[in-house]
Structure formats: C-alpha cells, structure tokens
Amino acid sequence: MTINQVLAVATQKLQKNNIPNPNMDAEILLARVLKCSREYLITHFDKNLNNQKIRLFEKYISRRVKGEPIAYIMGHKEFYGLDFFVNKNVLVPRPETELMVDETLELLTRNRQPATIIDIGTGSGCVIISLVKNFKSKFPISNFQFLATDISKPALTIARKNAKLHHVDKKIRLFHGDLLKPIIHKSKILNYKSKMIITANLPYGWNSWKNNCSMDTIGLKFEPPIALFTENKGLKIIEGFLKQIKQIANSKKINFNSNLLALIEFDPRQTIMLKKLIKKILPDAKFKIKKDLSNHNRLAKILI
Ligand SMILES: C[S@@+](CC[C@H](N)C(=O)[O-])C[C@H]1O[C@@H](n2cnc3c(N)ncnc32)[C@H](O)[C@@H]1O
C-alpha cells in the first residue's frame, strides 16, 4: 500500500469513530512511524510502505480510535516551544497553562529582588522547566531557587527525565509530597527571607464533568485521575493550597512585604466559587483574575 492509501483508510477509521481532526492525526502518526515530516508524506504520497511499517501504523491508529491522546501514542508533547516526554503517569501539558509561564516570566523580569520559584503539582515538569529555560531577570539565575513538588512518584520520575533532557536537572530540586508540605517547614530548603513565587496547576476537575466527557474530552479517561479530579466541585486541593499559603503568611519567619505570589490555574466555571474561597481563607490578600487566549478566566494571581 502507498502512503496515500494507508492515510485514506486510517482517516476513514478515525472519522467513523468521531475522532476530531482525523486527517491531521493520521498524518502525524504516519510521520512518526516513518520518522519523517508531514510535508514528506504529501510529496511522497505514492511511496510504497512495507508490512512492518503498516502494522505499526495500524497499532497507533487503533489506540487513537479508542480515544488515547496523541501525545501518549507519540510519547511527547510540545509546551512553551519545548518538547516534553510524557506517558500515562502525567497530564498532557495544555496550551492554556502557558499563560502561567508567561505571567511568571514577566514577574521575574520586573522583580527587584531574587526569588524562590516553587511549582506545585509539577507533573511532567513542563512549567518549572520552561521557566528555567526562558529565565528573564536582571539578576543572575544563580540567585534564584527553583523547587517543584508532586504527590505522584511516577510523575516525579517523568519530571526528572524532562529536566535532564533539557539540561536543567542541576537547577531544579524535586520533592515528593502533598502540595508544599515537603518543603514548608524546612528552612534549609525554603529561604523564607526571599520573595516566593508559587505556580500551581493542580487538579481542578470535578465528578459530574468527568462523567459527562464528550468525544473531545474522552482523552481524559487515559490521563491519571490524580492529576485531574478532586472533590468540592474541583476546588478541594486548591483549598488545601490556600490554607498552606495562609500558614506561610502567618509564619513569623516570613516578613510581610508583598513577598509571596501564587498563580493558580482553574476552570472558568469555578470563578465565583474560587473568588469566595480566596476571600474566606486569605481575607487580606490582593488578587487578580487573568484571562487565557480564548478570553476565559484561567489564572488567579494572589499577592500576600
Ligand atoms: C493538572 S496536573 C498538572 C501537571 C503540570 N503542572 C502541568 O501543568 O502539566 C496536576 C498535578 O498535581 C499533582 N497533584 C495532585 N494532588 C497533589 C497534591 N496534593 N500535592 C502535590 N501534587 C499533587 C498530580 O500528580 C499532577 O501531576
């Protein structure tokens, strides 16, 4: 069979199973099998493929037909212009999370003092690694500390692998545990005198949303539930995080000079509930809601 023929069969199969963008997915997966670009497929449409390649391509297509995210089949995903290794133990990085990186980089540029940057629920490590790789400040990077935590050990293994892949493993320290717990009381790790910037893309999915997965979101079923879902309408883990921030703010070790900034990603439908939660737990904090590129509320920036 030729490139054109296998693509036509695969596209039809994906289409029949309501997979969005069937043509593009078939091309991406075939390019992966042939280790070539999608342009090559177009210019070599009548090239014959051997059985081994066809079988591998069919295997990929069957996985995609079941709704498995293309990033898991490929084993990697682009985020902030960088390539990240991903597997079923980590969330596939989402484009909307790039806003968190943009905002943090802007803060670092404007910052008048060095800081400690902490990424909680780091998953593949995409946020903290993108921050180190795109670091912008008038101070040398050696004055900054980059820490990350995750409750999932398999996720931390992937974050470590990605940090090595991008040659930043010496710069980022990874910790296993619940939110800030592995570092919060360790003055040897956490410098309470320095400004803190905390990025948090934590699970914020809720049950009824999970149960109503459309074909577009069926890929969620392949992602680790620990990365996606939590109770209290998706706000339980964020609530735990806000309480930890309060603990840091109340700690005598920290001087209260607007020196803790937290950036929390959420679902636009949680805006009102999240605002109430922030006001309840951190009544003295200033906060702003930032919109993503689709003009949806996406990021809460909390200043203490
Ligand atoms: C939505 S994923 C985000 C991953 C990554 N930050 C990203 O943007 O792609 C949430 C991550 O939080 C981790 N997580 C869930 N509960 C946690 C907790 N209580 N403490 C620390 N990490 C947690 C999950 O294992 C998962 O890696």
Side-chain angles (χ1 to χ4, degrees), residues 5 11 28 65-66 73 108 128 192 211 258 279:
Q5 286 166 332
T11 304
I28 290 174
V65 159
K66 290 184 193 130
I73 304 173
L108 288 173
I128 195 84
Y192 275 87
N211 299 336
S258 298
K279 280 183 194 155

Side-chain angles (χ1 to χ4, degrees), residues 23-295:
N23 195 23
M24 188 173 81
D25 284 9
E27 283 180 13
I28 290 174
L29 292 173
L30 187 58
R32 166 80 176 181
V33 170
L34 301 181
K35 298 188 176 68
C36 68
S37 66
R38 281 170 66 199
E39 290 71 31
Y40 178 93
L41 301 177
I42 298 163
T43 48
H44 295 77
F45 61 92
D46 55 355
K47 184 181 159 71
N48 271 306
L49 300 180
N50 67 36
N51 285 342
Q52 198 193 356
K53 298 261 191 268
I54 295 176
R55 268 201 302 278
L56 182 58
F57 180 55
E58 284 172 349
K59 222 162 109 185
Y60 285 174
I61 291 295
S62 319
R63 286 170 69 182
R64 187 68 192 119
V65 159
K66 290 184 193 130
E68 186 171 344
I70 212 141
Y72 286 161
I73 304 173
M74 304 275 287
H76 63 99
K77 173 79 184 171
E78 195 191 297
F79 178 85
Y80 221 79
L82 298 167
D83 204 29
F84 288 92
F85 177 77
V86 291
N87 70 10
K88 62 179 173 39
N89 295 317
V90 291
L91 185 97
V92 176
R94 307 290 202 266
E96 55 268 28
T97 306
E98 294 187 342
L99 175 64
M100 187 178 262
V101 178
D102 281 339
E103 290 289 321
T104 311
L105 286 174
E106 203 200 303
L107 280 165
L108 288 173
T109 314
R110 283 194 278 115
N111 221 12
R112 285 196 223 112
Q113 62 185 104
T116 296
I117 295 106
I118 309 164
D119 182 36
I120 55 168
T122 198
S124 60
C126 61
V127 171
I128 195 84
I129 293 170
S130 301
L131 288 172
V132 176
K133 294 295 284 184
N134 292 281
F135 177 79
K136 286 172 194 155
S137 167
K138 58 184 166 199
F139 301 100
I141 193 163
S142 53
N143 292 0
F144 290 73
Q145 246 193 322
F146 293 86
L147 312 174
T149 75
D150 204 292
I151 204 159
S152 154
K153 278 188 178 166
L156 284 172
T157 303
I158 303 300
R160 202 164 288 120
K161 185 169 170 167
N162 279 319
K164 274 202 180 116
L165 187 76
H166 291 290
H167 311 289
V168 293
D169 50 314
K170 300 270 181 312
K171 193 62 210 156
I172 300 169
R173 293 173 76 190
L174 299 166
F175 299 89
H176 173 240
D178 181 19
L179 305 171
L180 291 164
K181 265 190 203 153
I183 51 177
I184 199 169
H185 294 303
K186 302 204 174 110
S187 53
K188 276 199 185 132
I189 299 171
L190 202 55
N191 178 1
Y192 275 87
K193 296 272 180 295
S194 109
K195 180 173 181 132
M196 268 183 228
I197 301 175
I198 310 177
T199 53
N201 180 19
L202 291 161
Y204 54 76
W206 55 97
N207 273 340
S208 58
W209 176 52
K210 172 167 67 177
N211 299 336
N212 292 326
C213 271
S214 69
M215 204 59 205
D216 268 8
T217 50
I218 200 155
L220 294 177
K221 296 199 169 116
F222 289 82
E223 292 182 282
I226 198 172
L228 287 167
F229 301 109
T230 177
E231 290 134 57
N232 293 358
K233 300 194 167 109
L235 288 170
K236 187 168 178 206
I237 296 180
I238 290 178
E239 183 175 357
F241 172 51
L242 293 172
K243 286 181 179 160
Q244 285 187 343
I245 296 184
K246 189 187 169 112
Q247 226 180 313
I248 295 184
N250 287 342
S251 155
K252 296 216 166 44
K253 288 180 198 156
I254 197 164
N255 51 19
F256 269 127
N257 237 339
S258 298
N259 54 2
L260 191 152
L261 208 133
L263 296 99
I264 305 176
E265 185 175 309
F266 62 96
D267 184 287
R269 288 164 289 183
Q270 295 169 321
T271 306
I272 294 173
M273 284 183 300
L274 180 62
K275 281 184 178 173
K276 276 190 191 155
L277 203 58
I278 298 171
K279 280 183 194 155
K280 188 174 126 202
I281 300 173
L282 299 165
D284 299 327
K286 291 182 199 142
F287 70 91
K288 269 191 205 158
I289 302 291
K290 296 290 273 187
K291 290 187 188 294
D292 62 20
L293 288 176
S294 314
N295 212 27

